[in-house]
Amino acid sequence: MAIVGAGMSGLCMAAKLRQAGFDDLVVHESAGEVGGTWRDNTYPGLSCDVPARFYSYSFAPHAGWSRNFAPGAEIQRYFVGASADLGLRRHIRFDSEIARADWDGRRYRLRTTDGHTDHADVLIAATGILREPRLPDIEGLSSFAGAAFHSARWDHSVPLRGKRIAVIGTGSTGVQITSALAGVAKPLTLFQRTAQWILPLPQLPYSPVSRAALRVVPGLNRLSYRSYQHIMELVFGHAAVEPGWQRSAVAEVCRSYLRLAIRDPRLRAKLTPPDDPMCKRLIMSASFYPALRRRDVHLVTDSITRVEPAGIRTSDGRLHEVDVIVLATGFDAHAFLRPMELVGEHGQTLSDAWRDGPRGYRTVAVPGFPNFFTLIGPHSPIGNHSLIAIAETQADYVLGWLERIRSGSVSTVVPTAEATEEFNTALRSAMPSTVWTTGCDSWYLGADGVPELWPWTPAVHRRMLASPVLPHFQVT
Ligand code: N01
């Protein structure tokens, strides 16, 4: 078995395989360490906006989280620790980037970018979704005389204290960076194209007593995990996908927070989004609005016309002179697996199969590509939920097929085109009830403007993946 990627979902799959007694597995990781997005993102203020006691593997609870929303470096240490504690590191081939995988009718032939080859009966893609930085197409960016870098490629050699720093982008990343660098930069200028709704969830430290209690009584940790899961599913799980009290409540909290936290009507007008809360991915922060109230933080809403050696020129003709430009401009969320190429039955490539956008069977498999599975694949429930919980559901499902392959009752398995089409039709017809179609642009939308998300609750995802529906597959 070959797993591509040793990020959160690849480690999850490898751990499940090990627990089930599978030993013949290799995890190909293009970088030199595990962690995926948590390894790559090191920007100031990085933290997870899903509660830490829920954003952990259910099979590897961690009592030591320092805060309710864990800092990025702490999460990265958790994944490195879990990969060692669960005995996964000996299965990981670091600096091994798969360039191509070809199905030869029986198994996949893998080729790495440095020319190595390998074989796998089963191929599992755990390559993540937000890994390809999206650089803005702004004229003159390369002419800038200071330092300019994407948030996921932070240049830690660049001094920040007392510098004039520009942050472009107001997604979760830009908001966290702005909150962290307010008071460090002199001044910080935030360039906002579209205002975003903010839910004020504060960062709270966990007391040593509560951490010790969770360590001594593991049942408390499980209880905490389940409680967070229940609340997240009850509120955000429903709010995003269907109208109801959850959506109204989240919207009301966001609107009231803006009203109460920003008293200056001109600043409030600039910060009022044109769309409904949750249409774009909801941002959790109790420190962003306070940062914007500072005198040394400026919010610019005039559009950027170009970058010049000395700074950023906006449509009002003004040049904002800066020393550092941070591009918090997001990721290409639709570059599943890329740049790796996958070749399935009859020489069909994944690029061809996905010409009109990534489509899979129930987020875990693709017709035409036997013995190939995806974790956090197309249309996974990624809204404001714990992706770890989603990956666990998918890994358990994949494991079910692998048990059948191990027992000899199955040699190859691939979903039928009809079942995949039926699933995708149902998915599309459920989209109009979701908040993502209420009129905004976001990384959730595919090229055709339809959200590439799961339009039902996480519980429906669990139900759909509880066990394979055999007529949906071609099995030999
Ligand atoms: O990226 P984004 P992100 N000129 O795509 C703006 C996860 N995450 O890195 O809205 C000017 O959300 C763009 O403007 P607009 C989380 O899933 C999680 O912030 O398109 N501005 C927008 O404001 C999140 O959703 C955590 O008008 C330009 C911003 O850049 C996802 O990552 C923490 C521009 C991009 O926002 C992505 O978040 C951080 C241009 N040319 C991130 N191009 C957790 O806590 C783009 N923008 C788990």
Side-chain angles (χ1 to χ4, degrees):
M1 267 149 299
I3 298 171
V4 185
M8 174 280 289
S9 61
L11 293 179
C12 175
M13 189 72 241
K16 297 262 181 194
L17 287 170
R18 290 290 298 116
Q19 283 161 8
F22 288 87
D23 201 43
D24 192 4
L25 73 117
V26 175
V27 184
H28 293 271
E29 168 53 55
S30 60
E33 187 49 274
V34 304
T37 192
W38 298 108
R39 176 200 60 229
D40 292 344
N41 283 276
T42 58
Y43 61 77
L46 171 65
S47 73
C48 184
D49 57 11
V50 176
R53 286 178 180 167
F54 180 40
Y55 193 82
S56 329
Y57 295 125
S58 63
F59 51 84
H62 178 53
W65 295 119
S66 65
R67 296 193 243 152
N68 55 346
F69 297 105
E74 214 171 292
I75 298 173
Q76 173 61 3
R77 280 198 297 280
Y78 169 77
F79 285 122
V80 173
S83 68
D85 296 347
L86 299 168
L88 308 179
R89 293 188 80 86
R90 68 188 174 87
H91 293 283
I92 302 172
R93 218 170 276 171
F94 289 109
D95 303 311
S96 176
E97 181 174 359
I98 303 295
R100 193 181 163 94
D102 290 79
W103 175 251
D104 70 4
R106 225 163 39 90
R107 57 187 185 168
Y108 283 96
R109 180 167 187 266
L110 311 178
R111 234 176 304 160
T112 64
T113 48
D114 56 6
H116 286 91
T117 57
D118 202 352
H119 288 96
D121 300 314
V122 176
L123 181 64
I124 302 165
T127 46
I129 38 167
L130 300 175
R131 62 188 289 265
E132 290 294 321
R134 195 178 52 194
L135 296 174
D137 186 16
I138 300 175
E139 187 193 325
L141 193 53
S142 58
S143 73
F144 181 56
F149 44 83
H150 188 270
S151 56
R153 301 286 180 272
W154 198 272
D155 184 345
H156 289 276
S157 70
V158 175
L160 301 172
R161 186 155 295 281
K163 298 293 176 195
R164 299 167 299 174
I165 301 177
V167 176
I168 301 179
T170 49
S172 303
T173 305
V175 162
Q176 291 186 340
I177 294 172
T178 300
S179 305
L181 293 187
V184 173
K186 297 289 177 200
L188 183 142
T189 309
L190 176 61
F191 291 83
Q192 171 189 282
R193 192 165 64 180
T194 314
Q196 302 241 38
W197 289 108
I198 309 281
L199 193 70
L201 295 184
Q203 290 268 1
L204 301 171
Y206 281 129
S207 71
V209 175
S210 82
R211 281 183 269 166
L214 260 63
R215 204 168 288 125
V216 176
V217 189
L220 280 180
N221 217 339
R222 281 196 295 277
L223 181 69
S224 173
Y225 179 100
R226 292 289 168 219
S227 309
Y228 276 119
Q229 179 177 29
H230 182 70
I231 293 166
M232 299 282 295
E233 291 195 8
L234 178 71
V235 180
F236 300 109
H238 288 271
V241 298
E242 65 204 17
W245 69 263
Q246 291 95 332
R247 192 180 291 180
S248 310
V250 171
E252 192 42 47
V253 173
C254 292
R255 292 183 201 283
S256 306
Y257 178 51
L258 175 60
R259 227 174 13 249
L260 295 171
I262 304 293
R263 305 307 294 169
D264 171 358
R266 281 183 48 215
L267 181 58
R268 196 188 312 145
K270 284 180 168 185
L271 287 170
T272 303
D275 43 47
D276 288 342
M278 298 188 82
C279 186
K280 286 172 181 278
R281 186 178 189 275
L282 190 59
I283 297 177
M284 321 287 191
S285 176
S287 50
F288 181 59
Y289 287 162
L292 288 177
R293 290 197 304 254
R294 294 177 61 102
R295 298 175 76 88
D296 54 4
V297 174
H298 309 312
L299 178 68
V300 174
T301 53
D302 296 296
S303 58
I304 296 171
T305 46
R306 63 178 176 275
V307 172
E308 300 179 7
I312 297 175
R313 179 84 63 183
T314 43
S315 55
D316 58 350
R318 190 167 162 208
L319 176 67
H320 304 264
E321 293 190 33
V322 293
D323 304 305
V324 180
I325 298 178
V326 175
L327 305 168
T329 45
F331 299 84
D332 177 359
H334 315 293
F336 284 101
L337 267 109
R338 308 297 203 282
M340 171 181 156
E341 185 57 285
L342 183 65
V343 185
E345 291 173 315
H346 317 299
Q348 186 193 24
T349 65
L350 195 66
S351 306
D352 260 354
W354 283 358
R355 208 176 313 116
D356 298 328
R359 306 270 179 273
Y361 171 81
R362 297 190 177 187
T363 74
V364 285
V366 185
F369 297 85
N371 289 8
F372 171 68
F373 298 99
T374 51
L375 294 189
I376 313 296
H379 295 105
S380 288
I382 51 181
N384 277 92
H385 202 61
S386 167
L387 277 190
I388 300 189
I390 301 304
E392 284 195 34
T393 300
Q394 295 167 333
D396 285 335
Y397 178 86
V398 174
L399 193 59
W401 278 114
L402 299 184
E403 300 275 16
R404 287 175 162 84
I405 291 174
R406 176 163 63 178
S407 73
S409 63
V410 169
S411 149
T412 65
V413 54
V414 63
T416 63
E418 295 72 31
T420 306
E421 184 59 37
E422 195 183 308
F423 166 71
N424 278 279
T425 304
L427 199 112
R428 283 175 163 259
S429 60
M431 284 301 171
S433 304
T434 70
V435 70
W436 312 306
T437 56
T438 53
C440 68
D441 190 16
S442 77
W443 63 264
Y444 286 166
L445 305 183
D448 55 3
V450 178
E452 290 191 345
L453 297 188
W454 183 259
W456 304 290
T457 62
V460 173
H461 188 243
R462 276 196 300 277
R463 269 203 301 281
M464 276 205 200
L465 295 185
S467 60
V469 181
L470 295 181
H472 288 178
F473 289 86
Q474 233 175 347
V475 171
T476 60

